[in-house]
Amino acid sequence: MSPAGCSHVNGYKVDNWKQNLRVIYQCFVWSGTAETRRRKAKSCVCHMCGAHLNRLHSCLYCVFFGCFTKKHIHEHAKNKRHNLAIDLLYGGIYCFVCQDYIYDKDMEQIAKEEQRKAWKLQGIALSLSAVSACVCFVFTGIGEKYTTWEPTKRELELLRHNPKRRKITTNCTIGLRGLINLGNTCFMNCIVQALTHTPLLRDFFLSDRHKCEMQSNSCLVCEMSQLFQEFYSGHRSPHIPFRLLHLVWTHARHLAGYEQQDAHEFLIAALDVLHRHCKGDTINDNGKKANNPNHCNCIIDQIFTGGLQSDVTCQVCHGVSTTIDPFWDISLDLPGSSTPFWPLSPGGDGSTVNGESHLSGSTTLTDCLRRFTRPEHLGSSAKIKCGGCHSYQESTKQLTMKKLPIVACFHLKRFEHSAKLRRKITTYVSFPLELDMTPFMASSKESRMNGQYQQSVDVLNNDNKYSLFAVVNHQGTLESGHYTSFIRQHKDQWFKCDDAIITKASIKDVLDSEGYLLFYHKQFLEYE
Amino acid sequence: MNKDSQMRAAINQKLIEMGERERLKELLRTKLVECGWKDQMKAHCKDVIREKGLEHVTVEDLVTEVTPKGRALVPDSVKKELLQRIRAFLAQHATL
């Protein structure tokens, strides 16, 4: 089986052979359009026995289809001396003289191109499309299918010159590193731990995707890139993030100083600065740089930005006014705060879906989400001007998720800073390892309103399923406290990060912890 | 061709025409990768190649050796899911 193909193809490579081969691929192997599919459906049967299974092959020299398993194509090859056939399932070329599949470079090239073309036309997403999608004949091309990486000459050269390789085994601790506390900087350390263990962010930085456009040395994205290099360098000593701290103070003045700050505020500020400094990496489809700060496509937006839909329904004319706002996190009120949490009976539909433990009436994350997405009556003192009634009317407001981010961050509002008091709410909220956001989606609300109840979890719709990968906890009081975090390494190993000290943790430790910031990652990602 | 194979051919034609066959193939591919079947088969193929010798093994050898094991190793849940999909498709296009 030589990669140069066999010599018997030379008899085929005459006249317009390339075009003929392309036609065969387009019509019978990878049929992209509805027309070619119809033709394929009708004509792809064995000319001898009529079967469509049995590894059908097409003769390359004439119009003949034959079974491979039943040797019908072999008979044809012998009788007509047509030595080449193509497998209609996979596109491989079989040579009857060599008695094996051969790999000719030119033919492989044509095969690859035709396959790509057909995929683009068919628009097969790697997620599962609903059965109803097969009704339409024209598919919107979703784009490239995943193909394995083949290194270029330059890449091979680089790999040869740099022979040192890092191997990831199941219990290697690469990516784990402690962070020295520089004076109440545990709030920063936790967020850094969570970010360095966000898989997509890690992949972005480790593949060097940031191209810096800033002239000075104050690009936070470059510093993040450095940080990732430090974390994945294999060094086990704790890292001292003084440069990061300095940059944060420079770009987010309100966080400067040695007082304890809020980890959530730091997260938002960090994401904001990273988003602003990512300008150089945002290239839209036309190859032009995106200028619009609201619709940027930087890695931060791709990973963290979701869309929150707010529907205001007028109580008189029932007209709905909808706005969609971007969000990086969801802040959830907790029971025990001064704003009343409506009483819930344990075991509501959301909680059973998400498998949370209800320790005799304890609140779950799903309860908080249900409260967040409940219709809220705005009251007579907060009348909204209704476009339909042209006057001020009472209305209800409801929040739902329009677009889910790849990483969803939930912020449990434990710190109360109302006019009356400042305190920390320590109510235990149980949160699940796996979370299904389907009940809180805008689309679910719409189908509920249209009377379609989806009680069973749709097996085919994996798009809203999330897995927990980081938890940030706060111990202590409002005046003096300490932040620690749990992060997930590999698939099921959890570690507790307490500044410079990293220890192994059990899933129970994680789920029993109080929870302040919860980071969830989408389970299934689509290729774009 | 008897009634059974006629029906099979008709269903197959419909599946191809509507592009559903390609979608089902993709679904199957994803499921088999997810459950580790692809890795198992890859390992088995490597064993066969090692046995027969890289220079002498043909695709036919691999197919003969690997097909029975491959068929047996497909998890029932995957079979069930695909059957469900095909049933749903046929239910929708009941004119068959």
Side-chain angles (χ1 to χ4, degrees), chain A residues 302-365:
Chain A
Q302 282 179 44
I303 299 179
F304 293 99
T305 305
L308 190 63
Q309 180 166 321
S310 167
D311 295 312
V312 176
T313 312
C314 168
Q315 291 300 91
V316 174
C317 70
H318 297 290
V320 185
S321 143
T322 306
T323 50
I324 299 176
D325 292 308
F327 69 85
W328 275 333
D329 68 317
I330 303 279
S331 288
L332 299 168
D333 286 312
L334 295 179
S337 66
S338 28
T339 47
F341 198 87
W342 100 106
L344 295 164
S345 51
D349 56 274
S351 318
T352 46
V353 164
N354 288 318
E356 289 156 329
S357 61
H358 265 284
L359 307 164
S360 55
S362 71
T363 327
T364 68
L365 178 67

Side-chain angles (χ1 to χ4, degrees), chain A residues 133-195:
Chain A
C134 68
V135 174
C136 59
F137 283 104
V138 178
F139 298 92
T140 51
I142 295 199
E144 293 280 319
K145 188 176 157 169
Y146 166 79
T147 48
T148 48
W149 171 69
E150 275 170 27
T152 62
K153 272 210 179 79
R154 171 89 183 112
E155 281 162 354
L156 283 171
E157 221 182 282
L158 281 170
L159 285 170
R160 266 191 285 266
H161 281 153
N162 298 289
K164 187 166 170 209
R165 302 273 177 271
R166 243 186 252 298
K167 196 164 176 211
I168 312 273
T169 55
T170 32
N171 46 4
C172 80
T173 53
I174 200 157
L176 283 176
R177 214 170 159 190
L179 288 164
I180 299 279
N181 187 321
L182 297 167
N184 276 332
T185 59
C186 51
F187 70 94
M188 182 176 81
N189 290 345
C190 287
I191 300 297
V192 171
Q193 293 288 2
L195 290 178

Side-chain angles (χ1 to χ4, degrees), chain A residues 272-288:
Chain A
D272 185 50
V273 177
L274 287 171
H275 162 71
R276 279 189 279 133
H277 289 188
C278 266
K279 283 289 168 48
D281 309 322
T282 62
I283 308 231
N284 62 22
D285 291 309
N286 303 334
K288 299 199 198 101

